[in-house]
Amino acid sequence: MIKNTSHINPLENEAIYIFREVVAQFEKPVLLFSGGKDSITLVRLAQKAFYPSKIPFPLLHIDTGHNFPETIAFRDKLIKELGLELIVRNVQDSIDQGKVKEESGRYSSRNVLQTTTLLDAIEEFKFDACIGGARRDEEKARAKERMFSIRDDFGQWDEKNQRPELFDMLNGQIELGQNVRVFPISNWTELDVWSYIEKEQIEIPSIYFAHLRKTFIRDGMIWTNDDAIVFRDEEEEVKERLIRFRTVGDMSCTAAVLSAASDISSVVQEIRESTISERGARIDDKRSEAAMEKRKQHGYF
């Protein structure tokens, strides 16, 4: 049974308005696509914003090479079904070119490395507006963002120099070399996104639903056992557990949660009752008190 989602309509209308403003104000926008629930929701909103025409900009995926296989399979399926243009740029190329250095050890991740690959892609294609699925409820640094968030010609974000956005007036004026990060679902919560997915009957990767998976416990968190990517100490015992993922990042930095939620309605109910943020399962946010803010200052999305 679908719960009351009447509050979703204003959020949907706001997001559609933002999409249309992006196309009206910028020459080369792009939608940053990860294959996660937020970027999938953005695709649906973009479809609605420009229907019956096709989405008038490409999707860009910064592939770290450490993605969950289910996410990549879903990405390719969605692109084919909707006839969308997809640009993929790989972090491995940035490593091979000596632009970034691979981390090692039990907490190694490519999450920080993808910033360089992203900035290179923005420069390569001269994108002036990058649309993403960040939300203000996710993390305190993201709560500081505007709908149109300016990045300088080095891709950097200045959290102390944010434009006012009064009366839904979105200012897309930028200087040569600057670009804007755009957040159409900034005012949404995790529950809003799931409620919208339920209401719209949007297909999402199976990884978001309960499934049996070989995992191990580290620091009280549940990690997938992929020895080719995820570092595991010999004493960390592998067991099969019924789990799902609330957020989808790299295998090396995204932990699972114990769950029996096997469909969208049960996921929505689980989120309603949860007292822990979805970002609580992202080890990359725990590197320091200001981990996300520092990454954003250097160009991370």
Side-chain angles (χ1 to χ4, degrees):
M1 178 179 176
I2 298 177
K3 304 292 184 180
N4 180 17
T5 56
S6 59
H7 68 293
I8 290 294
N9 288 333
L11 293 175
E12 179 187 66
N13 291 339
E14 179 184 61
I16 288 173
Y17 164 71
I18 293 169
F19 269 113
R20 291 172 177 169
E21 283 295 303
V22 168
V23 170
Q25 296 191 45
F26 298 95
E27 294 183 4
K28 292 204 69 176
V30 66
L31 193 156
L32 301 187
F33 188 79
S34 67
K37 65 183 184 307
D38 297 316
S39 57
I40 293 169
T41 297
L42 287 180
V43 170
R44 173 58 60 87
L45 291 165
Q47 285 181 288
K48 288 193 172 188
F50 304 109
Y51 182 84
S53 298
K54 280 191 173 182
I55 296 175
F57 41 74
L59 276 58
L60 171 64
H61 181 211
I62 303 301
D63 189 345
T64 64
H66 289 178
N67 300 280
F68 289 94
E70 296 95 325
T71 307
I72 298 299
F74 182 88
R75 178 200 71 184
D76 295 342
K77 177 175 179 285
L78 181 69
I79 295 300
K80 183 177 180 179
E81 288 179 350
L82 300 183
L84 303 175
E85 178 186 356
L86 174 68
I87 299 169
V88 178
R89 288 296 178 267
N90 298 287
V91 170
Q92 185 62 53
D93 291 337
S94 299
I95 295 172
D96 294 343
Q97 294 162 10
K99 294 181 177 180
V100 293
K101 184 179 180 181
E102 184 88 80
E103 296 181 355
S104 60
R106 61 189 288 140
Y107 296 112
S108 60
S109 170
R110 288 186 173 182
N111 198 50
V112 175
L113 307 187
Q114 64 184 314
T115 297
T116 297
T117 312
L118 171 62
L119 295 179
D120 284 349
I122 292 172
E123 176 62 26
E124 176 186 355
F125 293 96
K126 306 301 180 186
F127 292 128
D128 53 3
C130 300
I131 307 161
R135 308 186 320 269
R136 288 177 177 143
D137 75 317
E138 288 182 278
E139 201 274 341
K140 58 187 178 183
R142 285 181 165 169
K144 299 178 181 180
E145 293 274 21
R146 300 294 192 264
M147 298 290 191
F148 280 14
S149 185
I150 305 296
R151 298 303 197 270
D152 65 19
D153 52 357
F154 293 103
Q156 296 177 329
W157 173 65
D158 182 359
E159 76 282 4
K160 297 178 182 178
N161 185 23
Q162 296 284 298
R163 293 175 175 177
E165 290 180 340
L166 306 175
F167 312 111
D168 293 330
M169 295 178 66
L170 300 173
N171 180 2
Q173 287 192 326
I174 55 175
E175 302 294 335
L176 182 66
Q178 292 182 330
N179 64 81
V180 171
R181 307 293 172 86
V182 181
F183 305 105
I185 60 172
S186 185
N187 287 331
W188 297 43
T189 65
E190 181 189 13
L191 182 58
D192 289 331
V193 171
W194 277 108
S195 297
Y196 190 74
I197 289 170
E198 182 180 26
K199 173 178 173 288
E200 293 286 315
Q201 299 182 340
I202 300 173
E203 185 180 359
I204 57 172
S206 59
I207 199 168
Y208 281 111
F209 301 117
H211 59 285
L212 287 171
R213 201 179 194 97
K214 290 182 178 179
T215 60
F216 65 93
I217 304 294
R218 174 187 297 153
D219 300 331
M221 305 176 79
I222 304 170
W223 300 97
T224 185
N225 178 48
D226 189 322
D227 293 327
I229 293 175
V230 183
F231 180 92
R232 179 175 62 84
D233 290 326
E234 291 184 2
E235 66 271 17
E236 292 174 326
E237 183 181 4
V238 176
K239 289 186 178 180
E240 197 170 60
R241 295 176 172 87
L242 185 63
I243 57 94
R244 73 176 193 87
F245 292 86
R246 283 180 66 181
T247 178
V248 176
D250 277 5
M251 283 187 277
S252 58
C253 64
T254 308
V257 294
L258 295 172
S259 174
S262 58
D263 55 34
I264 291 179
S265 61
S266 55
V267 168
V268 170
Q269 185 60 36
E270 185 178 271
I271 297 302
R272 287 182 187 277
E273 297 172 357
S274 177
T275 59
I276 301 173
S277 165
E278 63 182 308
R279 297 293 297 195
R282 293 292 292 269
I283 195 67
D284 47 320
D285 288 351
K286 301 178 186 298
R287 293 191 173 201
S288 73
E289 183 69 17
M292 174 67 80
E293 186 157 321
K294 289 180 179 178
R295 293 204 305 275
K296 290 175 73 66
Q297 288 169 351
H298 289 93
Y300 182 77
F301 202 80

